[in-house]
Amino acid sequence: MMQIDILTLFPEMFSGVLGQSMLQKATEKSAVNYNVVNFRDFADNKHSTVDDYPYGGGAGMVLKPQPIFDAVAALKEKAESKQPRVILLCPQGERYEQKKAEELAKEEHLIFICGHYEGYDERIREYVVTDEISIGDYVLTGGELGAMVVVDSVVRLLPEVLGNQESHMKDSFSTGLLEHPHYTRPADFRGMKVPEVLLSGNHKFIEEWRNKEALRRTLQRRPDLFDKIKLTAEQEKWLKEVKKDVE
């Protein structure tokens, strides 16, 4: 079972997210255990303050090292697993991608640090954190929403959570390409028809169509992804056909 600890000043933000849909099913299947901790509880001063003014001056407040150091130490002490990955959500972190989700899904224990205020005391980065993650090139009020995104993307990859292991293997980005279009009943909805090949029952043709459509969608929407993947000879052939259609 994976252990996920989340350090935040707003634990109530996570109750709805972790208690719904696939994230809840993951706990029911004993694939993961969530532990949301208010790190203000670890503050060592009578007012339970966790932030202070930055040395050298400047706008905003900075998260103090003591509450985070002590909170992480307490979680590690309780842990039965090996050294956990301690993840800091911040704009300066590496841009989050599916490969990172697949990497984190192999771990036994993840600790997420969700900060607020202007920033973190640098000693948190240097001595506590193992990974810094950004979910995009924009700034949020705090790290909570980023942590929710990462947790969701990791937990759905755990064995038996989705039910069908092929589901996430064919997701957009898992193959390096965007996913092909999907259709369901009715075959004719207000004059908008499902492609005939999907109704043919010929699995070879259907698989080829899906591969070509994945290439087409990637070419049209995210051509930069082709720089990161190596296509098979068959995919190269299909891509040439798709490019002719697009032109």
Side-chain angles (χ1 to χ4, degrees):
M1 178 188 296
M2 174 182 278
Q3 175 66 34
I4 294 181
D5 296 311
I6 301 170
L7 297 178
T8 173
L9 294 174
F10 303 96
E12 59 278 3
M13 287 181 67
F14 289 87
S15 58
V17 174
L18 301 180
Q20 300 292 329
S21 188
M22 205 63 66
L23 294 182
Q24 181 185 25
K25 290 179 181 178
T27 62
E28 294 171 354
K29 294 182 177 181
S30 299
V32 64
N33 180 62
Y34 307 114
N35 177 37
V36 183
V37 177
N38 189 335
F39 62 81
R40 192 182 296 279
D41 295 339
F42 289 85
D44 63 358
N45 58 84
K46 65 178 181 179
H47 297 297
S48 296
T49 56
V50 295
D51 63 316
D52 210 333
Y53 295 102
Y55 279 121
M61 304 292 280
V62 175
L63 188 63
K64 297 169 67 173
Q66 178 273 318
I68 295 296
F69 269 69
D70 288 356
V72 171
L75 293 173
K76 286 183 176 181
E77 190 175 339
K78 292 180 182 179
E80 299 178 358
S81 60
K82 60 182 182 180
Q83 191 76 0
R85 297 278 284 271
V86 183
I87 301 163
L88 186 71
L89 284 305
C90 66
Q92 300 174 33
E94 67 174 290
R95 189 159 184 173
Y96 194 56
E97 295 185 346
Q98 185 67 18
K99 283 186 178 180
K100 188 71 173 184
E102 293 169 359
E103 175 189 328
L104 294 177
K106 297 175 184 177
E107 297 291 331
E108 296 178 21
H109 188 186
L110 302 177
I111 300 175
F112 291 88
I113 302 175
C114 308
H116 261 65
Y117 313 113
E118 183 65 23
Y120 307 89
D121 185 291
E122 189 65 18
R123 289 164 289 191
I124 295 173
R125 300 178 192 273
E126 292 179 358
Y127 299 103
V128 177
V129 170
T130 61
D131 302 81
E132 294 183 48
I133 288 177
S134 168
I135 61 168
D137 296 338
Y138 46 87
V139 180
L140 297 170
T141 305
E144 284 77 14
L145 294 176
M148 293 175 194
V149 168
V150 177
V151 169
D152 183 280
S153 65
V154 168
V155 169
R156 68 188 302 277
L157 297 177
L158 299 180
E160 298 182 4
V161 171
L162 280 182
N164 183 346
Q165 284 300 105
E166 286 190 11
S167 294
H168 72 74
M169 292 173 64
K170 293 186 178 181
D171 282 342
S172 291
F173 304 113
S174 290
T175 62
L177 301 170
L178 298 185
E179 197 173 9
H180 59 77
H182 292 275
Y183 295 89
T184 188
R185 296 172 182 168
D188 187 336
F189 175 66
R190 299 177 183 176
M192 297 173 280
K193 297 181 179 180
V194 171
E196 286 293 331
V197 64
L198 298 179
L199 308 177
S200 68
N202 188 316
H203 296 294
K204 180 181 177 181
F205 289 169
I206 291 172
E207 192 61 27
E208 181 175 332
W209 179 87
R210 286 175 171 169
N211 275 282
K212 286 182 179 179
E213 290 305 306
L215 289 164
R216 185 191 312 278
R217 183 155 287 185
T218 304
L219 180 65
Q220 293 174 329
R221 302 185 182 189
R222 289 292 306 276
D224 58 292
L225 294 177
F226 288 114
D227 296 331
K228 302 179 181 181
I229 59 175
K230 183 175 178 57
L231 299 177
T232 65
E234 194 166 32
Q235 285 176 318
E236 291 281 7
K237 183 189 74 172
W238 288 334
L239 182 58
K240 288 179 181 178
E241 295 177 16
V242 167
K243 283 181 176 179
K244 288 181 181 178
D245 291 342
V246 172
E247 292 171 359

